[in-house]
Amino acid sequence: MIPQGHLPVVPPEQVEAEKVLFPEVNDLMGRLHFSTSDGRIWLDDQRMLLVHAKALGMLRRDMIELLGLDVARGFMTRMGYYAGVADAQLARKVRPKTSIRDMFVVGPQMHCLEGIGISEAVRIECDVERGIHYGEFIWTSPVEDEEHIRHFSIGTEPACWMQIGYASGFSSEFMGRQVLYREVECQSMGHSVCRIIGKLVEEWGPEAAEDLRYMMPETLQMGVPPNVVRPACGVGQPGAEQIPTDMPVGMSPSFNSVMHLVRRVAPTQATVLFLGESGVGKEVFSRTLHRLSSRADKPFVAVNCAAIPEQLIESELFGVERGAYTGALQSRLGRFERADGGTLFLDEIGTLSASAQGKLLRALQEGEIERLGDSQTRKVDVRVIAATNVDLRDEVKAGRFREDLFFRLNVFPVRITPLRERREDIPLLMTHFLSKFNARHGRRLTGFTQRAVDAMLSYNWPGNIREMENVIERGVILAPEGGAIDAPHLFTSGERFTEQRFTINKDGKLVAMDPSVFVTELTQDREVERVSRRVSNLLLDDHDDCDKVSLDEIETLLLKRAIERAQGNVAAAARLLGITRPQMVYRLKSRGIINEGE
Ligand SMILES: [Zn+2]
């Protein structure tokens, strides 16, 4: 149940503060369309639903009675959060040229338009760049209170759950920072109006963890509310508690379902297979799984199979006995033995050689390994977590991966959604990485500019969370001390913007763009034209053009093109060129197309 007595007391003088006037609501109303011919209601490009308030009240009551107050509150809060995120996206579109405040009050105005209740602003301080957010609103006759009181009468706890979720979701999306609204007075508690206050999560005290729990239950069940106890620029702040920076962060439905699976499987000994694109955080989830398991105090050993040359992978995994080959002067433990009692994480499992696959299968089935050049078998107690960004079924079909090993690994597959399909996690991740890199680099950046937030939210993130982490680290380093990270600090290496409405032009201005035009493609197209002209000259024996054509240049171009076609997926790009992924990675690295360690 919700602990009582921790709500902040509002000093009376704030109650009398001047009212904030909202702009006309016509621009928003103009976005609402009833399309009777096909049974749809549209709010801009979002399909809407006209729901009976009483039906919502009944659903709410049933949830409370069947699932308990806590669970029901969580569901309602998150439903509101998603709606708030969607409306914040609308706000950017509808009022892009007005003041930040006019853009921000789309939230309370939509709240009114969508029939939730009347919102009156008591105080709004909203500065995206300086990372300032304070919002105080009064709600009159909100629909949730009406329904709550109808079924449960006046109680001791606030009841505007969906609406608090909405305000938090809207503001977080708007700020690109995690904002939490709390209801400090509520009609369901007998107050004459509901009063809500919103601040950046880190500016609330520890009591915020209670309320945050309803918005992001899976992250918070880790027992470490992100950023709650840590100041935004937590450099050297006394008492700022150290929070592991490698824990998964998110609140989207797909994030929650992954965390649910992780939590389910963690206490067992089952082998787990993480699936998903590069950079979605497979290792982070694996570490979390280990931390939640009974092996938590034993080693977690991670191996990226693609990063180790084929001829070394077996000795790395299973160890070497002295004299196994010339130069093996002493015996060496493999990763299996080092992980004994704990967890071994094998990333990019699809790149293992046939012989290593056989040994891995034996280790999984028999729990024993043999060092290279050793006749003795050794028992190991290791839980294996594997991960891959390729389709192992395809690899099996192509004869590159053992079917029996695939079935052995595929006991408990967990698919992690790419970031572009869970955009509501972006503001949370931005806050998380900003704190992490502020601390790491000893900087005190306040947040992101409005156009940086726009760019982050509209970018397609082909490299997923790892790419975002790199982009924010770059931004933290480039932005002026004490200021905000701007879009040009983030997107400096020709990132392709796909599904978005904005791009950054040469002057660093964010401008609306035709989604089919990409800066990098333009330059590549010129490169393609030049090289292909020379190739055809050579092949067709046309000596008019005496340009030389370099094999190296053609290969570089093909590699880049394949990576682009495969949307950054290296394995898929390798398939396009009929080479293996490790070969592809080697070529990409040797040409500096990707960096070492990627
Ligand atoms: Zn209320």
Side-chain angles (χ1 to χ4, degrees), residues 412-431:
F412 197 89
V414 179
R415 184 170 295 282
I416 306 171
T417 321
L419 186 54
R420 63 182 170 279
E421 287 167 25
R422 48 181 179 111
R423 288 178 189 274
E424 55 271 56
D425 289 339
I426 292 177
L428 256 53
L429 287 161
M430 286 168 69
T431 306

Side-chain angles (χ1 to χ4, degrees), residues 433-443 469 472-473 476:
F433 290 131
L434 178 66
S435 311
K436 173 176 170 177
F437 292 118
N438 259 337
R440 176 178 296 176
H441 299 298
R443 309 219 65 198
E469 186 172 6
I472 293 180
E473 181 166 22
V476 166

Side-chain angles (χ1 to χ4, degrees), residues 139 142 144-145 158-161 163 183 185-189 193-196:
W139 287 335
E144 251 182 312
D145 275 332
C160 298
W161 304 333
Q163 293 141 249
E183 195 172 14
E185 288 174 29
C186 180
Q187 287 169 65
S188 293
M189 295 161 74
V193 290
C194 300
R195 178 183 303 274
I196 64 161

